Coordinates of all heavy atoms in Angstrom, one line a residue:
A1 N 0.2 2.6 6.1 CA 0.2 2.4 7.6 C 0.9 3.5 8.3 O 0.4 4.1 9.3 CB 0.8 1.1 7.9
D2 N 2.1 3.9 7.8 CA 2.8 5.0 8.4 C 2.1 6.3 8.4 O 2.0 7.0 9.4 CB 4.2 5.2 7.6 CG 5.0 6.2 8.2 OD1 5.5 6.1 9.4 OD2 5.3 7.2 7.5
R3 N 1.4 6.6 7.2 CA 0.6 7.8 7.1 C -0.6 7.8 8.1 O -0.8 8.9 8.7 CB 0.1 8.0 5.7 CG 1.1 8.5 4.7 CD 0.5 8.9 3.4 NE -0.5 8.0 2.8 CZ -0.2 7.0 1.9 NH1 1.1 6.9 1.5 NH2 -1.1 6.2 1.5
L4 N -1.2 6.7 8.2 CA -2.4 6.6 9.1 C -1.9 6.8 10.6 O -2.6 7.5 11.4 CB -3.1 5.3 8.9 CG -3.9 5.2 7.6 CD1 -4.4 3.7 7.4 CD2 -5.1 6.1 7.6
L5 N -0.9 6.1 11.0 CA -0.3 6.3 12.3 C 0.1 7.7 12.6 O -0.2 8.3 13.7 CB 0.8 5.3 12.6 CG 0.5 3.8 12.6 CD1 1.7 3.0 12.5 CD2 -0.3 3.5 13.9
T6 N 0.7 8.3 11.7 CA 1.1 9.7 11.8 C -0.1 10.7 11.9 O -0.1 11.5 12.8 CB 2.1 10.2 10.7 OG1 3.2 9.3 10.7 CG2 2.5 11.6 10.8
A7 N -1.0 10.5 11.1 CA -2.3 11.3 11.1 C -3.0 11.1 12.4 O -3.6 12.1 12.9 CB -3.2 10.9 9.9
A8 N -3.0 9.9 13.0 CA -3.7 9.7 14.2 C -2.9 10.2 15.4 O -3.4 10.2 16.6 CB -3.9 8.2 14.4
G9 N -1.6 10.6 15.2 CA -0.8 11.1 16.3 C -0.4 9.9 17.2 O -0.1 10.1 18.4
F10 N -0.2 8.8 16.7 CA 0.1 7.6 17.4 C 1.6 7.7 18.0 O 2.5 8.0 17.2 CB 0.0 6.3 16.6 CG 0.2 5.0 17.3 CD1 -0.9 4.5 18.0 CD2 1.4 4.4 17.4 CE1 -0.8 3.3 18.7 CE2 1.5 3.2 18.1 CZ 0.5 2.7 18.8
D11 N 1.8 7.5 19.2 CA 3.1 7.6 19.9 C 3.9 6.3 19.6 O 3.7 5.3 20.2 CB 2.9 7.8 21.4 CG 4.2 7.9 22.1 OD1 5.3 7.9 21.5 OD2 4.1 8.1 23.4
R12 N 4.9 6.4 18.7 CA 5.7 5.3 18.4 C 7.0 5.3 19.2 O 7.9 4.5 19.0 CB 6.1 5.3 16.9 CG 4.8 5.1 16.0 CD 5.2 4.9 14.6 NE 4.5 6.0 13.8 CZ 4.5 6.1 12.5 NH1 5.2 5.2 11.8 NH2 3.9 7.0 11.9
G13 N 7.0 6.2 20.2 CA 8.2 6.3 21.1 C 8.1 5.4 22.3 O 9.0 5.4 23.1
R14 N 7.1 4.6 22.4 CA 7.0 3.7 23.6 C 6.6 2.4 23.1 O 6.2 2.1 22.0 CB 6.0 4.3 24.6 CG 4.6 4.5 24.1 CD 3.6 5.0 25.1 NE 3.2 3.9 26.0 CZ 2.0 3.4 26.2 NH1 1.0 4.1 25.6 NH2 1.7 2.4 27.0
S15 N 6.6 1.4 24.0 CA 6.2 0.0 23.8 C 4.8 -0.2 24.4 O 4.5 0.4 25.4 CB 7.2 -0.9 24.4 OG 6.9 -2.3 24.2
Y16 N 4.0 -1.0 23.7 CA 2.7 -1.4 24.2 C 2.6 -2.9 24.4 O 3.0 -3.7 23.6 CB 1.7 -1.0 23.1 CG 1.7 0.5 22.8 CD1 2.6 1.0 21.8 CD2 0.9 1.4 23.4 CE1 2.6 2.4 21.5 CE2 0.9 2.8 23.1 CZ 1.7 3.2 22.2 OH 1.8 4.6 21.9
P17 N 1.9 -3.3 25.5 CA 1.7 -4.7 25.8 C 0.6 -5.2 24.9 O -0.4 -4.6 24.7 CB 1.3 -4.8 27.2 CG 0.8 -3.4 27.6 CD 1.5 -2.4 26.6
L18 N 0.9 -6.4 24.3 CA -0.1 -7.1 23.5 C -0.3 -8.4 24.3 O 0.5 -9.3 24.3 CB 0.3 -7.4 22.1 CG -0.5 -8.4 21.2 CD1 -1.9 -7.9 21.1 CD2 0.1 -8.6 19.9
V19 N -1.5 -8.6 24.9 CA -1.7 -9.7 25.8 C -2.3 -10.8 25.1 O -3.2 -10.7 24.2 CB -2.7 -9.3 27.0 CG1 -2.9 -10.4 28.0 CG2 -2.1 -8.0 27.7
T20 N -1.9 -12.0 25.3 CA -2.3 -13.2 24.6 C -2.2 -14.4 25.6 O -1.8 -14.3 26.8 CB -1.5 -13.5 23.4 OG1 -2.1 -14.5 22.6 CG2 0.0 -13.9 23.7
S21 N -2.6 -15.6 25.1 CA -2.6 -16.8 25.9 C -2.3 -18.0 24.9 O -2.3 -17.8 23.7 CB -3.9 -17.1 26.7 OG -4.9 -17.5 25.8
D22 N -2.2 -19.2 25.5 CA -2.1 -20.4 24.7 C -3.4 -21.2 24.6 O -3.4 -22.3 24.3 CB -1.0 -21.3 25.3 CG 0.4 -20.9 24.9 OD1 0.6 -20.4 23.8 OD2 1.3 -21.2 25.8
D23 N -4.5 -20.5 24.9 CA -5.8 -21.1 24.9 C -6.2 -21.8 23.6 O -6.9 -22.8 23.7 CB -6.9 -20.1 25.3 CG -6.9 -19.7 26.8 OD1 -6.0 -20.2 27.5 OD2 -7.7 -18.9 27.2
V24 N -5.8 -21.3 22.5 CA -6.1 -21.8 21.2 C -4.8 -22.0 20.4 O -3.9 -21.1 20.5 CB -7.0 -20.8 20.5 CG1 -7.3 -21.3 19.1 CG2 -8.3 -20.6 21.2
P25 N -4.7 -23.1 19.8 CA -3.5 -23.3 19.0 C -3.2 -22.2 18.0 O -4.1 -21.8 17.2 CB -3.8 -24.6 18.2 CG -4.8 -25.4 19.1 CD -5.6 -24.3 19.7
G26 N -2.0 -21.6 18.0 CA -1.6 -20.5 17.1 C -1.9 -19.1 17.6 O -1.5 -18.2 17.0
L27 N -2.6 -19.0 18.8 CA -3.0 -17.7 19.3 C -1.8 -16.9 19.7 O -1.6 -15.7 19.3 CB -4.0 -17.8 20.4 CG -4.7 -16.5 20.8 CD1 -5.5 -15.9 19.7 CD2 -5.6 -16.8 22.1
A28 N -1.0 -17.5 20.5 CA 0.2 -16.7 21.0 C 1.2 -16.5 19.8 O 1.8 -15.4 19.7 CB 0.9 -17.5 22.1
E29 N 1.3 -17.5 18.9 CA 2.2 -17.3 17.8 C 1.7 -16.2 16.9 O 2.5 -15.4 16.3 CB 2.3 -18.6 17.0 CG 3.0 -19.7 17.7 CD 2.1 -20.5 18.7 OE1 0.9 -20.1 18.9 OE2 2.6 -21.4 19.4
S30 N 0.4 -16.0 16.7 CA -0.2 -14.9 15.9 C 0.1 -13.6 16.5 O 0.4 -12.6 15.8 CB -1.7 -15.1 15.7 OG -2.4 -14.8 16.9
A31 N 0.2 -13.5 17.9 CA 0.5 -12.3 18.5 C 2.0 -11.9 18.3 O 2.3 -10.8 18.0 CB 0.3 -12.4 20.0
T32 N 2.8 -12.9 18.3 CA 4.3 -12.7 18.0 C 4.5 -12.2 16.6 O 5.2 -11.3 16.3 CB 5.1 -14.0 18.3 OG1 4.9 -14.4 19.7 CG2 6.5 -13.8 18.0
L33 N 3.8 -12.9 15.6 CA 3.9 -12.5 14.2 C 3.3 -11.0 14.1 O 4.0 -10.2 13.4 CB 3.1 -13.4 13.4 CG 3.0 -13.1 11.9 CD1 4.4 -13.1 11.3 CD2 2.1 -14.1 11.1
F34 N 2.2 -10.7 14.7 CA 1.7 -9.3 14.6 C 2.7 -8.3 15.1 O 2.9 -7.3 14.5 CB 0.3 -9.3 15.3 CG -0.3 -7.9 15.2 CD1 -0.8 -7.4 14.0 CD2 -0.5 -7.1 16.4 CE1 -1.4 -6.2 14.0 CE2 -1.1 -5.9 16.3 CZ -1.6 -5.4 15.1
A35 N 3.3 -8.6 16.3 CA 4.3 -7.7 16.9 C 5.4 -7.5 15.9 O 5.9 -6.4 15.7 CB 4.7 -8.2 18.2
H36 N 5.9 -8.6 15.3 CA 7.0 -8.5 14.3 C 6.6 -7.6 13.1 O 7.4 -6.8 12.7 CB 7.3 -9.9 13.8 CG 8.3 -9.9 12.7 ND1 9.7 -9.8 12.9 CD2 8.1 -10.1 11.3 CE1 10.3 -9.8 11.7 NE2 9.3 -10.0 10.7
E37 N 5.4 -7.8 12.6 CA 4.9 -7.0 11.5 C 4.8 -5.5 11.8 O 5.1 -4.6 11.0 CB 3.6 -7.5 10.9 CG 3.8 -8.9 10.2 CD 4.7 -8.8 9.0 OE1 4.5 -8.0 8.1 OE2 5.7 -9.6 9.0
M38 N 4.3 -5.2 13.0 CA 4.1 -3.8 13.5 C 5.5 -3.1 13.6 O 5.5 -1.9 13.5 CB 3.4 -3.8 14.8 CG 1.9 -4.2 14.6 SD 1.0 -3.3 13.4 CE 0.9 -1.7 14.3
R39 N 6.6 -3.8 13.9 CA 7.9 -3.2 14.0 C 8.3 -2.5 12.7 O 9.0 -1.5 12.6 CB 8.9 -4.2 14.4 CG 8.9 -4.5 15.9 CD 10.2 -5.2 16.4 NE 10.4 -6.5 15.8 CZ 9.9 -7.6 16.3 NH1 9.2 -7.6 17.4 NH2 10.1 -8.8 15.7
K40 N 7.7 -3.0 11.6 CA 8.0 -2.5 10.2 C 7.5 -1.0 10.1 O 8.0 -0.3 9.2 CB 7.4 -3.3 9.1 CG 8.0 -4.7 9.1 CD 7.4 -5.6 8.0 CE 7.9 -7.0 7.9 NZ 7.3 -7.8 6.9
V41 N 6.6 -0.6 10.9 CA 6.1 0.8 10.9 C 6.4 1.5 12.2 O 5.8 2.5 12.5 CB 4.6 0.9 10.5 CG1 4.3 0.5 9.1 CG2 3.7 0.1 11.5
G42 N 7.4 1.0 12.9 CA 7.9 1.6 14.1 C 7.0 1.5 15.3 O 7.2 2.3 16.3
V43 N 6.1 0.5 15.4 CA 5.3 0.3 16.6 C 5.9 -0.9 17.3 O 6.1 -2.0 16.8 CB 3.8 0.0 16.2 CG1 3.0 -0.4 17.4 CG2 3.2 1.2 15.5
Q44 N 6.2 -0.7 18.6 CA 6.8 -1.7 19.4 C 5.8 -2.3 20.3 O 5.1 -1.7 21.1 CB 7.9 -1.1 20.3 CG 9.0 -0.4 19.5 CD 9.8 -1.4 18.6 OE1 10.1 -2.5 19.0 NE2 10.0 -0.9 17.4

């Protein structure tokens, strides 16, 4: 993941909004989990 982000020139120096809702059970929680996992490769 780190190599792919680096090769793509992905800017890890800023934060990105991940928009979600509570429309479906677990949807907002999945967004929170995804955001947590992305921090492991320096994506905020």
